[in-house]
Amino acid sequence: MIELAPSLLAADLLNLESEIGDMLSRGVTRLHFDVMDAHFVPNLSFSPELCAAVKARFPECRLDVHLMMDNPGKYLKTFAEAGADILTVHQEVLPDARPILDAIKALGVKCGLSVKPATLADTLTKYLDMLDNILIMTVEPGFGGQKFMVDMLDKIRLLRAWGYKGDIAVDGGVTLDNARQITDAGANVLVMGTSFFHAQDRDLVVRSVKELS
C-alpha cells in the first residue's frame, strides 16, 4: 500500500489543530514531524512539547518523527514519551547505527534511518535487518520547497534489489507529478509538504496517492 505522510513544516503553523484535524478527516493518519537543530541542518523546528500536544489532541495520528540532529540519541526517550510512533535518525551522524537503533526498539517505537543526497545507499546495508523505515532525502534537508532530485530514485531501487521489505519513504520535492515515478522505483511512503498542505484540492491529492497502490 502507498501511504501519504504530510509534512507538518508546510502546514499553517498558526492553525495546526485545524490542519491536522483536516488531514485526519481525509483519511490520512501518518504525519511527518521534522525536528531540526540548526546544526545538522541550517534551520530550527519542532519540539517534544509540540509532539506531545499533537499526540494528546489526536491520539489516532501516527507521528513519524524525523530527527535531523547531531545528537539524536539524547532525545530518543523524550520523543518516545511525547508520542512518537516512528523515530528516524540520520546515518551521517552515526559511526555505528546499531546502538541507537536498538535503543529506539527498546522504547517500543519503530526505528528508521535517513540518508542525505550525498550519502550512498550502501551505508545502509548492514542495518537492513533492523529497520522498519528508511527515509531517502531527495533534496538537501533543512528547508521546504526545493526541487526533487530524480537521481535519488536509484537508492530506492538498490534497497529493494537487496531485499529490503520495510517502508521506504521519500522526502523532498514530492508532488503528484513525480509520485508514480517514485512508487515505481519501490518507495511506499510519500512525504508531501507544500503538495498537500498548499493544495487547492487536498482530496484530490489523497485520492491520487491511494490510486498508486
Side-chain angles (χ1 to χ4, degrees):
M1 183 183 75
I2 307 302
E3 190 169 16
L4 174 62
S7 176
L8 196 63
L9 277 176
D12 180 350
L13 298 182
L14 292 181
N15 293 285
L16 287 184
E17 182 176 11
S18 174
E19 289 280 70
I20 297 168
D22 179 79
M23 177 193 90
L24 294 169
S25 74
R26 299 175 195 276
V28 181
T29 61
R30 180 168 174 159
L31 179 66
H32 193 79
F33 190 99
D34 283 311
V35 180
M36 297 186 279
D37 66 356
H39 294 281
F40 180 68
V41 292
N43 204 353
L44 280 169
S45 69
F46 308 129
S47 68
E49 290 78 13
L50 179 59
C51 182
V54 171
K55 196 66 172 183
R57 175 63 182 85
F58 301 105
E60 71 274 33
C61 185
R62 291 180 297 126
L63 290 171
D64 177 0
V65 177
H66 178 196
L67 298 178
M68 290 183 273
M69 310 174 72
D70 282 336
N71 56 347
K74 292 184 178 180
Y75 294 91
L76 300 179
K77 185 177 180 182
T78 301
F79 275 100
E81 291 177 346
D85 296 285
I86 305 166
L87 282 171
T88 297
V89 297
H90 267 267
Q91 165 70 1
E92 292 84 3
V93 301
L94 300 168
D96 179 8
R98 286 188 180 273
I100 203 167
L101 296 177
D102 283 335
I104 293 171
K105 286 182 176 291
L107 291 166
V109 177
K110 290 186 176 181
C111 69
L113 276 178
S114 182
V115 288
K116 297 198 292 185
T119 304
L120 298 177
D122 304 56
T123 62
L124 299 170
T125 54
K126 57 186 174 182
Y127 308 117
L128 296 183
D129 62 328
M130 302 181 69
L131 294 171
D132 301 299
N133 185 64
I134 294 175
L135 178 61
I136 301 296
M137 296 301 303
T138 45
V139 299
E140 287 297 331
F143 295 95
Q146 298 180 61
K147 186 177 179 181
F148 178 78
M149 297 180 180
V150 67
D151 52 325
M152 294 299 106
L153 296 180
D154 287 340
K155 293 181 183 179
I156 301 168
R157 297 185 184 102
L158 283 171
L159 290 165
R160 293 304 189 199
W162 293 332
Y164 179 67
K165 304 295 185 185
D167 285 345
I168 297 180
V170 173
D171 185 2
V174 179
T175 69
L176 291 183
D177 290 334
N178 57 30
R180 173 61 72 182
Q181 188 178 17
I182 293 167
T183 58
D184 283 350
N188 66 300
V189 180
L190 302 177
V191 178
M192 288 188 178
T194 56
S195 295
F196 177 79
F197 282 113
H198 295 190
Q200 291 186 346
D201 187 345
R202 293 181 182 180
D203 281 331
L204 174 64
V205 177
V206 175
R207 185 168 65 252
S208 297
V209 171
K210 287 182 178 179
E211 289 172 354
L212 295 169
S213 297

